[in-house]
Amino acid sequence: MKRLPLILSALAILLAAVSFYFAKSSSELVYVDVNKLIEGYKRTKIAKAEFDKKANTMKGNIDSLMTGWQKELQSYEKERASLSPKELQLKQELLQNKQQQINGYQEAIQKKIQEEDKKVTQTVINDINDYVKEYGKKHGYKIIFGASGGGNIMYADDSSDLTEEVLKGLNADYGTKK
């Protein structure tokens, strides 16, 4: 009987510790909206502007080649009546070859633009992932979920949303890296 208060006290302390652990654990389940981070990240805007500039230059090169080819085609149409059958055939083959080269170049440029876009996007995502990982460690979170609007987090209390706080820190961190 004399031990009963001691046992009850120990049990109460153990129960309080377990309750505290579970309360703390449930508050460690937080998330960020990945789309908002990507859109709001300063580096995304800068990288996109640089990418657009490169892509427009490459597309401009294709446009120049196409304009040159169209001028040659118009010239051919005007000269056509005065050309011999052999000259006509040679000119047609030349124009076809040039068109095929331009088409091949256009496909290569499109592929390069897609690869460059993927690379730029992956760089931004890597920055965000690295920052969120460090943020989680620094603030003692066991898990930070990434919501992307695809239904992976259907509901979460607003207090679990770290997006704005992480975005603010991410942009401040990027500002110091530049």
Side-chain angles (χ1 to χ4, degrees), residues 70-83:
Q70 287 171 344
K71 285 181 181 176
E72 285 184 43
L73 185 61
Q74 288 171 352
S75 172
Y76 162 75
E77 292 295 330
K78 289 178 184 174
E79 299 174 345
R80 194 170 158 175
S82 64
L83 296 174

Side-chain angles (χ1 to χ4, degrees), residues 2-171:
K2 292 180 182 180
R3 292 181 137 183
L4 187 59
L6 182 62
I7 292 173
L8 287 175
S9 298
L11 189 58
I13 290 172
L14 180 63
L15 190 57
V18 168
S19 297
F20 177 74
Y21 172 76
F22 283 112
K24 183 168 175 16
S25 294
S26 67
S27 69
E28 290 175 353
L29 296 177
V30 294
Y31 75 97
V32 293
D33 185 324
V34 177
N35 293 336
K36 286 182 182 176
L37 289 179
I38 290 171
E39 289 171 18
Y41 184 30
K42 289 178 185 175
R43 183 169 188 184
T44 303
K45 293 173 182 121
I46 293 168
K48 183 172 177 9
E50 290 172 357
F51 167 76
D52 287 345
K53 186 176 177 182
K54 273 186 190 177
N56 287 336
T57 300
M58 288 188 248
K59 289 176 183 175
N61 291 342
I62 293 170
D63 290 345
S64 294
L65 290 172
M66 285 299 289
T67 300
W69 180 80
Q70 287 171 344
K71 285 181 181 176
E72 285 184 43
L73 185 61
Q74 288 171 352
S75 172
Y76 162 75
E77 292 295 330
K78 289 178 184 174
E79 299 174 345
R80 194 170 158 175
S82 64
L83 296 174
S84 69
K86 190 167 181 110
E87 290 174 320
L88 201 63
Q89 183 184 358
L90 187 62
K91 192 75 167 173
Q92 286 174 344
E93 287 175 9
L94 202 83
L95 286 168
Q96 284 177 337
N97 287 340
K98 194 164 191 173
Q99 184 180 25
Q100 287 173 350
Q101 288 174 342
I102 291 171
N103 289 343
Y105 180 71
Q106 189 172 20
E107 287 175 22
I109 291 298
Q110 289 298 334
K111 186 176 178 183
K112 184 173 178 148
I113 287 172
Q114 288 174 346
E115 289 170 0
E116 190 72 25
D117 184 36
K118 198 181 290 185
K119 191 168 100 176
V120 166
T121 302
Q122 192 59 52
T123 300
V124 167
I125 289 171
N126 289 345
D127 275 5
I128 291 170
N129 288 341
D130 292 346
Y131 183 81
V132 169
K133 184 177 181 181
E134 289 305 312
Y135 181 91
K137 286 179 183 178
K138 182 178 176 183
H139 291 87
Y141 293 111
K142 291 185 180 180
I143 295 175
I144 298 178
F145 293 98
S148 60
N152 50 358
I153 294 180
M154 298 300 290
Y155 169 77
D157 187 81
D158 290 342
S159 64
S160 299
D161 185 356
L162 297 177
T163 305
E164 292 304 317
E165 189 177 330
V166 168
L167 185 58
K168 196 181 302 179
L170 182 64
N171 282 326

